[in-house]
Amino acid sequence: MDTPAYPRAQVTVSVRLYCQPRLKLSETSLAAPRPARAKVIRIGRDRRYRRRRRDVVYQVVERRYAIFPEDGGELTIPPLLFQAVGIDDNRHFHPDGSFFDRFPLPVRRLRIRSRELRLVLTPVPAAYTGKIWLPARALAIREDKTLPRELEVGKPLTRTIRIEALGLMAEQLPEIGGEAPPGCRVYCDRPELENQVNNGNYLRAVKRQALAYLPLRAGTLTLPAVVIDWWDVVRNRQRKALLPARKIKVVARPGSPGGSGSQGDISAAKASTAGKMPDSGRGPGKPALPAKPVVPPRLAAVRAWPLVGAVLLLAWLAAVWCWRQAVRRMGAGREKRERATVALSVTAARRRVKNSCLANDPRLTQRAILAWAATAWPENPPTNLQKLAAELRNAGLV
């Protein structure tokens, strides 16, 4: 390893199988590592190449795993079991090339175990001061899109924050707080987690968090900065990933305070209408009647804007709810169609097993049984009857 092995940091384990070219393998199976108190994720696809060892050229199959040990002083990986059916193709041909080639090739079952692997973990450095322990090879935080410089009151703004880390799982990345700035409301959406697996040696974790801000008054809206402390396992030191704060100018809507008029205009309108009494209906010697209060149009807009903001907020929440219900109905329909397809495939596989048994064809029956099993375990279908017997715990199938 090129870096120390820390708890909760990725440990890359490569499993290599060396096979002589003359040995043909079938019905192969290789158990995945199952260490205690650790999570295992397979990385990429198998690599195939040739390598010379002790004057013999071998065909090599390499498989890699990302292992994330929990807190502890040691990581122990038990021996791995490889099973296959081998056919030795190192036969000698008779000069006439006719009779001896008809004999069947020798077939044997292979069972090979690797050695146990133990790895001492480096404890968490005492100099680390972060809130959560994040050992990674790289970590960055950014925004998925550019934010506007100006925004109207009552208009929502979505800020999507993206965290990427190399050598971590997405589940390990921290939560992003949704603290509301002054004069604003904030709504947090459920984060999206993704573990990207490629042909590299390290896992790339991605976390997206959408925050919706709803400004309630004009002025300057300050979106808070996001700071994440993490430990650089390559340079062995603490580092910070920073998303700086963003300032956005919030302007009033037309007809609202700060839009077409000012607070001074409203005060002047109130002063000009105070104490006035109507002249109609008053005769000489009659006392003056108290005048009804006259509300200027601008002052009416001042009183109405909180109601407008509340209506816009309710409309936005209703739209979000309708969108989620539509997505849920689409998912339910898709799941229903997938279940119907699986049911049809299971029925067809069962009919195939029955027909092959009636035809008294052992090889065709074996293939039909494995095809039937593939419909029951689509993610990890058994490749031979021995695996199927292990899944069903029925040794009579072998």
Side-chain angles (χ1 to χ4, degrees), residues 50-371:
R50 294 177 178 270
R51 178 168 294 180
R52 178 181 296 274
R53 295 184 63 181
R54 298 177 182 177
D55 297 333
V56 178
V57 178
Y58 292 90
Q59 293 180 350
V60 183
V61 180
E62 181 179 352
R63 183 174 297 177
R64 286 162 296 175
Y65 296 91
I67 301 180
F68 296 87
E70 299 179 359
D71 296 338
E74 186 179 64
L75 173 65
T76 302
I77 301 178
L80 306 183
L81 175 61
F82 173 77
Q83 301 182 79
V85 173
I87 302 177
D88 194 347
D89 199 12
N90 191 20
R91 54 187 175 180
H92 299 281
F93 296 96
H94 196 266
D96 59 8
S98 58
F99 179 73
F100 290 97
D101 291 344
R102 300 177 184 177
F103 289 100
L105 300 176
V107 178
R108 55 177 176 170
R109 290 192 172 272
L110 303 176
R111 292 173 59 90
I112 304 174
R113 291 184 181 273
S114 65
R115 293 179 297 178
E116 182 182 74
L117 178 62
R118 292 188 177 183
L119 187 63
V120 178
L121 301 179
T122 303
V124 178
Y128 184 71
T129 59
K131 295 182 180 180
I132 60 175
W133 172 241
L134 290 175
R137 302 182 70 89
L139 193 146
I141 180 172
R142 59 184 177 86
E143 291 173 335
D144 270 359
K145 61 180 181 180
T146 305
L147 299 178
R149 296 183 179 180
E150 191 173 286
L151 188 68
E152 290 184 356
V153 173
K155 185 177 181 181
L157 170 68
T158 301
R159 186 188 195 189
T160 304
I161 299 176
R162 178 188 180 100
I163 307 175
E164 293 186 5
L166 188 63
L168 286 178
M169 296 183 295
E171 295 79 3
Q172 297 176 262
L173 298 179
E175 296 289 338
I176 301 175
E179 299 181 359
C184 180
R185 295 179 182 175
V186 62
Y187 303 90
C188 301
D189 202 356
R190 180 178 299 178
E192 300 179 6
L193 305 179
E194 181 183 2
N195 289 318
Q196 298 179 356
V197 179
N198 49 34
N199 291 329
N201 294 324
Y202 299 96
L203 199 68
R204 181 179 295 275
V206 179
K207 183 174 186 177
R208 298 181 185 88
Q209 177 71 61
L211 304 173
Y213 294 88
L214 186 66
L216 303 178
R217 65 189 184 191
T220 301
L221 173 61
T222 302
L223 305 182
V226 181
V227 182
I228 299 178
D229 293 300
W230 62 285
W231 186 263
D232 191 338
V233 298
V234 178
R235 297 176 176 84
N236 286 323
R237 63 185 180 91
Q238 182 174 343
R239 300 180 63 182
K240 290 182 180 291
L242 173 63
L243 181 65
R246 297 285 190 264
K247 290 187 177 182
I248 300 175
K249 182 181 179 181
V250 181
V251 298
R253 291 178 178 270
S256 61
S260 59
S262 61
Q263 189 66 27
D265 296 335
I266 298 175
S267 302
K270 292 173 64 178
S272 62
T273 56
K276 288 186 177 180
M277 291 184 287
D279 294 336
S280 61
R282 186 182 67 174
K286 292 184 179 181
L289 298 177
K292 296 182 179 180
V294 179
V295 180
R298 296 172 182 173
L299 185 59
V302 173
R303 296 178 179 177
W305 79 265
L307 179 61
V308 174
V311 172
L312 291 175
L313 175 62
L314 291 177
W316 181 73
L317 293 177
V320 172
W321 182 84
C322 293
W323 175 75
R324 289 190 174 181
Q325 292 296 323
V327 172
R328 187 176 302 173
R329 287 194 296 269
M330 291 174 60
R334 188 183 301 108
E335 183 178 358
K336 185 177 180 180
R337 291 192 298 270
E338 290 178 355
R339 289 180 179 176
T341 305
V342 172
L344 291 176
S345 61
V346 171
T347 303
R350 190 182 305 165
R351 189 183 301 111
R352 183 179 176 185
V353 173
K354 181 179 179 181
N355 294 337
S356 59
C357 291
L358 293 176
N360 196 18
D361 191 338
R363 292 188 176 181
L364 186 60
T365 302
Q366 178 181 354
R367 296 176 183 176
I369 292 176
L370 293 178

